[in-house]
Structures are given as C-alpha cells and as structure tokens.
Amino acid sequence: MERDQFIAVPKNTIAVLQKHGFQFKKQLGQNFLIDMHVLDKIIRAADIGPGDICLEIGPGIGSLTQALCEATVDDGRVYAVEIDDRLIPILEENLAAYPHVHIIHTDFMKIDLPSFFEEEKIDRPVKVVANLPYYITTPIIMALFESGVPLASVTVMVQEEVARRMQAKPGTKDYGALSLAVQYYAEPYIAAHVPPNCFMPRPNVGSAVIRLTRRPQPPVEVQDEKLMFKLIRAAFGQRRKTLVNAVTGSPELGGTIRIVNGQKENGETEVRTLQITKELITQALEEAGISQTIRGEALSLQQFAELTNVLAKQADH
Ligand code: SAM
C-alpha cells in the first residue's frame, strides 16, 4: 500500500474523524497516533512479519491495526480489542480490506485470556502490540503476563515515565514494584521516545515505545510467587522505611499470612500459616545474607526471591 494511504497520516485521520463526527473520550485514553515514522518504529521493534499472530488492545480508528495487517499479510492473524462501541463500525469500514483481522468489541480487562486463546486455537506465541490507554497500562500488562498464555513479546506505547519505571534497576528513583513485576516476566527495552505532537489530541506527557520480550523462564527461582509479590508491594508501599518496618507495618502482610505449599498426597492443597513478625523478618534477612537496615528500594529481584524462599521454609516448621 502507498504510504500516503495509511490512516496514521494526519490528513487521513482527520478525514476519518470528520466523516464519522467522532469526538474523543478523554476518560478512555483516546490519543490516536498520527506519525508514520513512529508507526514504522513500533512494527520494527515488535518484529512483525508474515504469519505472525498479533493482539492489539485499543485499536481506535485502526491506525496501528492497519500497519499490523499489512505486515502480517493473509497468513497471520490480528486480534483488535476495542471497548468504545462508536469505534466498531469505523474499524470495520477502515479495515474491510483485511480478511485476517478480528475486531472484538469488549473491555480488554474482562477477557479470560486462557479461554480466549483456546477458543481461537492460538497455537503460536502471540505478539502483543498496542498504543495503550494510559489509565490502565499496568493492569493490562500484568493481566497479560499473569494469565500464563503464550506470548512472544509485548511492544507497547506507554507514558515515558512508566517506561522508565519498567526498566529501572535497584537503588534508582524509578525502581519499584512495577520494575520487579515486569522484569520477572520479561526483558524490557525502550525502542523509541515519542513526543506529544505524534498524537491527536496531544497528551500532556511524553511517551515511549517499550518492548518486553517474554522470558522462557523467570530469572529467579521462587517457591511462592504470590508471597514474593506481596513482599514487594509491602516494601514499596512505604519505600522510605526499612524493609523490616515496611513489611511488618503493611496491611497485606503484617500479622498472619497463608502460604500455599503445594499438593498433599490426597490431592488437597496444603496451606500453612506464618506469623509475620519483626523477629521473623530480621532472622530471614540474616539467613538470606541481607543487611537488617536495608530498604526495599535497594533489594534486587534475586534478593526478594531469596527472602521469600527463607520465609516459605519457615512456614514448614
Ligand atoms: N491504537 C490507536 C492508535 O494508536 O491510534 C488508539 C490508541 S488510544 C491511546 C487507546 C485506545 O484504547 C482507544 O481507542 C480507547 O477507546 C481504547 N480503550 C480504552 N480502554 C479500553 C479497554 N478497557 N479495553 C479495550 N480498549 C480500550
């Protein structure tokens, strides 16, 4: 297709909006991409080619969807999930030339991803590509990874500051629960910085395209993932406190917690409880070889995993 025919060309986007009398809904994070160079960068960063299966969250008027359809040609598949009913007829019209696109009208957060993958007989790792609605960036990314469905990569436009947090290393100001969660599942790489004038309407903040390449295995061995993420949330819930104080003072962790230790011989799930006290955390830190006065923001993923494993072991006694 000729480049000047793409929806993402500003005059074509304006023509679509005018034809349908479309008014943006700010609360749905509607900022449409109007820059062909950025579009090229996304397709390149996501490494989209013939035969790929793509999943897009929030196709808008189809600017990115069209580029995905062109890159995957007929052999691939493009699933585009849009919440706004006003956009469905526009998408159907704009993407009528592509038989391999599936427009799905729903709230992405309501999709049961494992059932969806099964129903659609998705037999290859999927490449997620999206210019995300910024108000639900983190829930979308966590839902994708935590669902356990086969993903090759997640290449998304997010707020610049969120991209920095996803990539941040221990001890930096951007490091937090999101950095650890993303880095547990994927390897992040910022592929492009995108200024506000590449969107219509312009957002108030800078954006970035980040590629999260799914790891085949988590980089650390952890006995109880849920407990580790509870510890991480507690540590960053009060990030200026020492880890000992943040954890014992956390509403989610202070007191008694349940640790699931797997299956008993009779098939029942074995659940043990653990009393989270200052003494226990202090002792666990010592056993894991970590300083007693450390703050959560200085702990690496490896150290959170070690601490979790020591605590999970305690629950056995
Ligand atoms: N992909 C288009 C583009 O790049 O021009 C539009 C991107 S715009 C930043 C975000 C899109 O996500 C909007 O079309 C909005 O209606 C849609 N959206 C917002 N919340 C959603 C949700 N929960 N599920 C599915 N789509 C959603």
Side-chain angles (χ1 to χ4, degrees), residues 250-272:
S250 125
E252 197 182 7
L253 268 184
T256 304
I257 55 159
R258 286 151 57 87
I259 293 190
V260 178
N261 271 335
Q263 299 264 305
K264 283 202 239 175
E265 274 175 21
N266 63 5
E268 281 173 22
T269 306
E270 188 168 25
V271 178
R272 294 172 192 259

Side-chain angles (χ1 to χ4, degrees), residues 88-286:
I88 304 303
I90 303 180
L91 283 164
E92 279 165 356
E93 183 178 314
N94 286 352
L95 302 170
Y98 307 101
H100 62 304
V101 68
H102 304 252
I103 299 160
I104 302 165
H105 177 209
T106 190
D107 175 349
F108 178 75
M109 295 310 295
K110 298 217 170 107
I111 297 184
D112 174 27
L113 287 169
S115 313
F116 175 74
F117 272 55
E118 209 180 307
E119 281 156 25
E120 291 297 322
K121 299 192 172 49
I122 293 178
D123 53 0
R124 280 161 278 169
V126 164
K127 295 181 177 174
V128 177
V129 189
N131 169 15
L132 287 179
Y134 292 169
Y135 75 105
I136 43 167
T137 300
T138 301
I140 290 175
I141 289 181
M142 294 327 296
L144 285 165
F145 286 139
E146 285 172 359
S147 70
V149 294
L151 301 176
S153 55
V154 174
T155 305
V156 281
M157 179 87 72
V158 297
Q159 284 182 43
E160 180 121 53
E161 178 233 327
V162 175
R164 272 203 310 271
R165 278 167 38 209
M166 288 181 185
Q167 236 200 359
K169 295 289 173 223
T172 62
K173 78 170 175 24
D174 293 322
Y175 187 61
L178 181 64
S179 328
L180 285 155
V182 163
Q183 291 168 32
Y184 181 70
Y185 293 109
E187 262 180 83
Y189 159 71
I190 295 181
H193 297 274
V194 183
N197 63 5
C198 295
F199 302 90
M200 189 182 288
R202 293 180 185 197
N204 297 325
V205 289
S207 303
V209 176
I210 190 162
R211 177 187 159 119
L212 309 171
T213 309
R214 183 79 162 100
R215 296 181 192 275
Q217 304 284 337
V220 294
E221 251 179 59
V222 62
Q223 271 190 26
D224 187 329
E225 243 175 51
K226 282 209 173 93
L227 175 60
M228 181 174 78
F229 283 112
K230 277 186 189 168
L231 271 175
I232 290 172
R233 280 195 296 273
F236 289 99
Q238 295 168 293
R239 62 185 294 151
R240 305 309 301 163
K241 288 195 176 176
T242 63
L243 183 81
V244 175
N245 287 338
V247 167
T248 44
S250 125
E252 197 182 7
L253 268 184
T256 304
I257 55 159
R258 286 151 57 87
I259 293 190
V260 178
N261 271 335
Q263 299 264 305
K264 283 202 239 175
E265 274 175 21
N266 63 5
E268 281 173 22
T269 306
E270 188 168 25
V271 178
R272 294 172 192 259
T273 55
L274 182 65
Q275 193 76 30
I276 298 279
T277 60
K278 226 172 206 167
E279 291 67 42
L280 180 75
I281 301 290
T282 312
Q283 198 188 322
L285 281 171
E286 195 176 329

Side-chain angles (χ1 to χ4, degrees), residues 1 6 42-44 46-56 64-80 95 97-102 124-129:
M1 180 193 276
F6 275 84
I42 299 174
I43 300 295
R44 230 178 300 131
D47 189 24
I48 305 299
D52 278 338
I53 303 184
C54 300
L55 169 62
E56 185 190 4
L64 175 57
T65 330
Q66 183 184 39
L68 291 172
C69 289
E70 287 282 328
T72 50
V73 292
D74 307 317
D75 227 19
R77 268 181 268 170
V78 178
Y79 294 98
L95 302 170
Y98 307 101
H100 62 304
V101 68
H102 304 252
R124 280 161 278 169
V126 164
K127 295 181 177 174
V128 177
V129 189

Side-chain angles (χ1 to χ4, degrees), residues 28-33 56-60 63-64 81-84 87 106-108 131-133 135-136:
L28 288 180
Q30 293 180 339
N31 299 95
F32 297 165
L33 190 61
E56 185 190 4
I57 299 124
S63 321
L64 175 57
V81 182
E82 176 56 60
I83 197 171
D84 187 344
L87 289 168
T106 190
D107 175 349
F108 178 75
N131 169 15
L132 287 179
Y135 75 105
I136 43 167

